[in-house]
Amino acid sequence: MTASALSQLHESQGQSLWLDNLSRELLEDDGLPRLIRDYGIRGVTSNPTIFKKAVVGSDYYTDDIAACKRQYDRIESVYEHLVVTDIRRACDMLRPVWEQSHGEDGWVSWEESPGIAHDAAESVRAAHHLRELVDRPNVLIKVPGTAEGIEAFETLISQGVSVNVTLLFSLDQVRRVFAAYRRGLEALEASGGRLNEVRAVASLFLSRVDTLVDRQLDEIGGERAESLKGRSALALAGMTYAHFREVFEGEGFERFEQRGAFPQTPLWASTGTKNPAYSDLLYVENVIAPRTINTLPDKTLEAFADHGKIASTLKPRYDEDRRVWDELADLGIDMDGAVRDQLLDEGVEQFQTSFDELLEAIEQA
């Protein structure tokens, strides 16, 4: 396959490709414009780990760091004003996609500080702060799928703030997030808000699910456990998509769509394969479906363009996915309990570590 063929994915299958990366280098060396133009990239996601990789050791930020440190006393303010330049520029580069798609795509995600993942009120305040700082209509604020994050998400939707709910690892989280979105839309509508001006996506971290579950299956041992390795994340994706269709393609959501509301789109994240024994496109080729998003790291995007195959793969798979889910439960693997909780805690902790290391690097620069 060629990059040109990949750029037709949205037209042929209804799936949007977003880039899971953002850096000053990507913006200044025609990287992002080229990916939009030649690969059909329709959005960008970022997180503290991505910005740490972008900033630490890069000459592209040296002058801006010095200027921001002269202007702001708090190191977090230095970070925000350093990064907001990249967010704004990416938003501007994707603005034509946002306009042509009437707000379906063309978004850039910016994550809140991981330190407020369990504080709903502060998450709401921070989302408004970051949104106002960017001052672009196509910015998505990333809020984690903690209980407090989901509470904040509902409030933000009711206030007309577009959100990417991130760090989702279970079907239970997905159900709660979709329900919160609908309640938020109802509150927004009741207050006279415009439903067509708010957007939400739900980001499931696929490869991280397999990494943990495969390790547990190895500990259990046996032929049955071995047969389930590498299948938990795809089962989660398939069941999420089935629930998405149930919630957003049925009669219950029609009245919202008639007022211009978008469904909350499943976004497949953590799609770079971590296990070298698996296909490098395991979390790409197997999760193609209409009205979904796949956000790809640069390496995975290049692999998809080089040797990927495009075909709708999620819709016919529901019975198989349900069997995988049930078999995991039979083996004592609690996907909506212990697995979810461990991955969510680890995800918040990993982002906090990256965030702290980034702030420290900026302070010492």
Side-chain angles (χ1 to χ4, degrees), residues 193-348:
R194 296 172 63 90
L195 302 190
N196 65 336
E197 293 181 355
V198 68
R199 184 77 166 95
V201 301
S203 295
L204 280 93
F205 282 54
L206 299 182
S207 67
R208 294 194 193 186
V209 173
D210 271 345
T211 298
L212 175 58
V213 173
D214 282 3
R215 191 161 64 241
Q216 295 181 350
L217 290 169
D218 281 336
E219 292 173 357
I220 293 169
E223 185 176 336
R224 188 181 183 196
E226 185 68 23
S227 71
L228 292 169
K229 290 175 63 176
R231 300 174 67 189
S232 58
L234 295 183
L236 173 59
M239 295 180 67
T240 292
Y241 187 63
H243 186 60
F244 163 79
R245 297 190 70 197
E246 178 183 334
V247 172
F248 295 111
E249 294 185 358
E251 294 181 1
F253 197 70
E254 277 186 353
R255 69 180 185 88
F256 294 111
E257 287 195 303
Q258 289 169 358
R259 290 163 176 79
F262 291 101
Q264 183 174 12
T265 309
L267 182 152
W268 317 126
S270 186
T271 53
T273 304
K274 293 178 172 57
N275 188 334
Y278 298 158
S279 164
D280 58 350
L281 298 176
L282 180 66
Y283 309 107
V284 181
E285 292 178 328
N286 294 292
V287 290
I288 297 174
R291 305 180 93 177
T292 63
I293 300 164
N294 199 325
T295 183
L296 306 179
D298 302 67
K299 183 179 178 180
T300 306
L301 178 64
E302 293 288 349
F304 195 21
D306 178 66
H307 53 269
K309 297 180 178 62
I310 293 178
S312 183
T313 52
L314 271 181
K315 286 196 287 186
R317 234 179 41 210
Y318 180 76
D319 290 341
E320 177 187 345
D321 293 333
R322 181 75 257 179
R323 283 194 297 272
V324 169
W325 211 249
D326 291 342
E327 287 193 51
L328 289 168
D330 288 344
L331 289 174
I333 295 179
D334 185 4
M335 298 298 294
D336 285 321
V339 170
R340 173 203 63 206
D341 293 344
Q342 181 175 339
L343 287 170
L344 183 55
D345 290 345
E346 289 176 350
V348 172

Side-chain angles (χ1 to χ4, degrees), residues 69-299:
K69 288 173 75 171
R70 287 193 297 268
Q71 189 170 358
Y72 304 102
D73 293 330
R74 292 180 63 252
I75 198 64
E76 284 202 24
S77 295
V78 175
Y79 154 76
E80 288 176 353
H81 288 83
L82 181 71
V83 166
V84 75
T85 299
D86 294 351
I87 297 289
R88 286 174 180 162
R89 290 178 65 184
C91 283
D92 291 343
M93 290 175 182
L94 282 158
R95 183 69 175 265
V97 176
W98 184 80
E99 292 175 345
Q100 291 161 11
S101 67
H102 305 288
E104 177 189 11
D105 284 311
W107 296 89
V108 178
S109 294
W110 190 8
E111 187 139 1
E112 295 183 337
S113 167
I116 60 174
H118 297 287
D119 188 331
E122 184 61 19
S123 293
V124 171
R125 187 207 64 79
H128 282 282
H129 168 67
L130 295 181
R131 184 182 184 224
E132 291 167 7
L133 195 61
V134 176
D135 192 27
R136 298 292 189 274
N138 53 329
V139 63
L140 280 174
I141 305 303
K142 293 180 81 171
V143 175
T146 59
E148 299 84 359
I150 295 172
E151 178 185 343
F153 165 60
E154 181 178 336
T155 300
L156 289 167
I157 293 299
S158 75
Q159 297 170 348
V161 178
S162 296
V163 177
N164 178 345
V165 186
T166 186
L167 292 178
L168 301 181
F169 302 99
S170 74
L171 193 58
D172 170 69
Q173 280 177 295
V174 170
R175 287 172 173 151
R176 288 188 285 126
V177 166
F178 285 172
Y181 180 56
R182 289 190 53 151
R183 291 193 301 268
L185 287 179
E186 288 170 355
L188 179 61
E189 183 180 41
S191 68
R194 296 172 63 90
L195 302 190
N196 65 336
E197 293 181 355
V198 68
R199 184 77 166 95
V201 301
S203 295
L204 280 93
F205 282 54
L206 299 182
S207 67
R208 294 194 193 186
V209 173
D210 271 345
T211 298
L212 175 58
V213 173
D214 282 3
R215 191 161 64 241
Q216 295 181 350
L217 290 169
D218 281 336
E219 292 173 357
I220 293 169
E223 185 176 336
R224 188 181 183 196
E226 185 68 23
S227 71
L228 292 169
K229 290 175 63 176
R231 300 174 67 189
S232 58
L234 295 183
L236 173 59
M239 295 180 67
T240 292
Y241 187 63
H243 186 60
F244 163 79
R245 297 190 70 197
E246 178 183 334
V247 172
F248 295 111
E249 294 185 358
E251 294 181 1
F253 197 70
E254 277 186 353
R255 69 180 185 88
F256 294 111
E257 287 195 303
Q258 289 169 358
R259 290 163 176 79
F262 291 101
Q264 183 174 12
T265 309
L267 182 152
W268 317 126
S270 186
T271 53
T273 304
K274 293 178 172 57
N275 188 334
Y278 298 158
S279 164
D280 58 350
L281 298 176
L282 180 66
Y283 309 107
V284 181
E285 292 178 328
N286 294 292
V287 290
I288 297 174
R291 305 180 93 177
T292 63
I293 300 164
N294 199 325
T295 183
L296 306 179
D298 302 67
K299 183 179 178 180

Side-chain angles (χ1 to χ4, degrees), residues 346-362:
E346 289 176 350
V348 172
E349 182 179 351
Q350 287 168 8
F351 282 160
Q352 185 66 62
T353 298
S354 293
F355 190 68
D356 291 343
E357 291 174 350
L358 173 57
L359 294 186
E360 182 179 357
I362 292 172

